[in-house]
Amino acid sequence: DTHAGRGLYDLSAPESQKIAEYKNGVLPLYDRYKNNAEPPHILRKYFELIETHNKQDKTLRFYPGSALLAAQMLRPRDRLL
């Protein structure tokens, strides 16, 4: 990923709050998922990966960037450089 930043973003950090693009992006989707026991199949794995970083409560505080999402999806035989 040519635009990958750090692996995990704290959405309460000043850098995340500056533009707060997550408020119109992943946040509405994640909130809808949290209030709906059965998300669409295509989004289930995505939400599960996000949830691994937000176990404290049901709010979205940390967001894994694309590099971390890719690393989380590696199979034992895969390599990531």
Side-chain angles (χ1 to χ4, degrees):
D1 187 337
T2 61
H3 295 86
R6 68 185 134 190
L8 189 63
Y9 298 91
D10 181 348
L11 298 179
S12 66
E15 300 85 8
S16 296
Q17 293 299 312
K18 186 176 181 180
I19 298 174
E21 65 184 36
Y22 71 94
K23 290 181 180 180
N24 291 317
V26 69
L27 184 60
L29 287 173
Y30 189 74
D31 285 346
R32 187 172 179 183
Y33 161 68
K34 289 310 240 172
N35 294 319
N36 182 357
E38 194 61 36
H41 178 70
I42 196 165
L43 294 177
R44 191 172 302 137
K45 181 67 176 174
Y46 175 64
F47 288 130
E48 288 172 0
L49 293 171
I50 292 172
E51 244 179 5
T52 63
H53 304 285
N54 293 282
K55 292 185 178 183
Q56 293 83 6
D57 56 28
K58 291 190 172 197
T59 61
L60 181 63
R61 164 116 192 256
F62 297 100
Y63 182 76
S66 58
L68 184 54
L69 287 170
Q72 286 179 278
M73 295 175 65
L74 290 176
R75 299 166 297 186
R77 67 178 184 261
D78 294 336
R79 290 183 170 254
L80 180 65
L81 303 173

